[in-house]
Amino acid sequence: MQEAIIFINPNIKYKETYISGILELQKEGRNLEDNVIELQNNFEKYLEDVEKDSKGIELKEGRVPQTVYWMIVDDVFVGRVSIRHYLNENLLKEGGHIGYDVIPSKRKNGYGTKLLEYGLEKSKEMKLEKVLITCDEENIGSRKIIEKCGGVLENIIKNENAPAKCRFWINLV
Ligand SMILES: CC(C)(COP(=O)(O)OP(=O)(O)OC[C@H]1O[C@@H](n2cnc3c(N)ncnc32)[C@H](O)[C@@H]1OP(=O)(O)O)[C@@H](O)C(=O)NCCC(=O)NCCS
């Protein structure tokens, strides 16, 4: 049977499966800033914060507005894509416009590619003309995804104490 894939704004309907996904990511050392106990206890507040982020309300220092979409496959949270509405100095150097991740147990099924494709579609709707996407030099999966989606490598930034970052641009016009 064909799987049912949807992209949605973060939604309380998927609270439990989202939290399970975050726990998986945390096991590999990612998303440690997400406090799972707070998510369990007050998911509404988390959703409010996500919406404020998207509207640029009460942004933390150094942050720009960003919109997040979740990918749900057969009712299970599988990954997410975040679109930053514009770049600041930091994002221009390292972070880029679009970030995405797929939970470890669902990788290598094409979902990462679908997430970036969706992020690009949404970026176009937001009238972005070109987007910067970055990934670690050694992140073969992410590089393949970006290249498949038309990414053109501008440069690779070497860092003293962190992995080198590839900076790719994708034209949307
Ligand atoms: C990078 C990431 C999003 C890939 O997600 P995914 O769902 O596995 O991606 P896909 O299934 O669409 O794979 C795309 C391609 O990369 C390949 N690939 C994926 N992971 C790979 C890996 N670890 N090593 C080598 N190739 C890999 C796939 O085989 C596929 O190749 P193909 O196009 O030749 O078929 C996922 O590993 C992840 O979330 N990693 C942690 C966060 C991260 O790095 N995000 C990207 C930030 S820039």
Side-chain angles (χ1 to χ4, degrees):
M1 213 176 66
Q2 225 192 340
E3 53 191 13
I5 299 182
I6 56 168
F7 291 92
I8 54 160
N9 292 117
N11 187 306
I12 195 138
K13 179 175 174 202
Y14 298 101
K15 172 180 170 181
E16 293 308 327
T17 171
Y18 176 71
I19 291 174
S20 305
I22 293 299
L23 285 169
E24 269 195 49
L25 287 163
Q26 289 189 340
K27 275 197 192 136
E28 62 169 23
R30 296 179 193 278
N31 298 93
L32 298 175
E33 69 285 0
D34 289 328
N35 183 331
V36 171
I37 295 174
E38 270 178 27
L39 285 176
Q40 280 291 6
N41 292 339
N42 197 350
F43 205 71
E44 288 83 356
K45 161 90 171 48
Y46 166 71
L47 293 178
E48 273 168 34
D49 288 347
V50 167
E51 202 181 331
K52 279 187 191 162
D53 257 6
S54 180
K55 292 183 173 155
I57 298 170
E58 293 169 20
L59 290 176
K60 295 204 183 95
E61 170 121 21
R63 310 264 300 185
V64 307
Q66 71 165 2
T67 304
V68 178
Y69 298 94
W70 288 354
M71 183 180 191
I72 307 290
V73 179
D74 293 336
D75 274 344
V76 173
F77 170 82
V78 157
R80 60 190 173 174
V81 56
S82 314
I83 306 165
R84 291 129 207 162
H85 298 193
Y86 54 87
L87 299 178
N88 59 20
E89 204 181 315
N90 230 1
L91 292 171
L92 177 62
K93 190 171 159 236
E94 296 250 322
H97 284 97
I98 302 182
Y100 44 90
D101 42 36
V102 173
I103 61 171
S105 60
K106 301 287 183 182
R107 289 183 186 156
K108 296 201 181 177
N109 287 300
Y111 298 142
T113 307
K114 287 195 167 70
L115 273 167
L116 180 57
E117 285 169 352
Y118 188 75
L120 293 172
E121 223 178 283
K122 287 287 156 188
S123 301
K124 255 189 211 176
E125 285 174 23
M126 288 164 59
K127 309 278 182 242
L128 295 177
E129 294 186 351
K130 60 177 187 170
V131 287
L132 176 69
I133 304 170
T134 69
C135 70
D136 290 355
E137 190 175 21
E138 307 292 319
N139 191 340
I140 307 296
S142 195
R143 284 183 76 154
K144 275 191 164 180
I145 291 172
I146 299 168
E147 281 162 6
K148 264 200 282 189
C149 289
V152 176
L153 182 68
E154 179 176 270
N155 57 5
I156 301 178
I157 310 256
K158 303 280 177 199
N159 288 303
E160 284 239 322
N161 300 312
K165 283 271 176 208
C166 298
R167 297 173 69 257
F168 293 91
W169 288 95
I170 298 181
N171 259 317
L172 300 176
V173 288

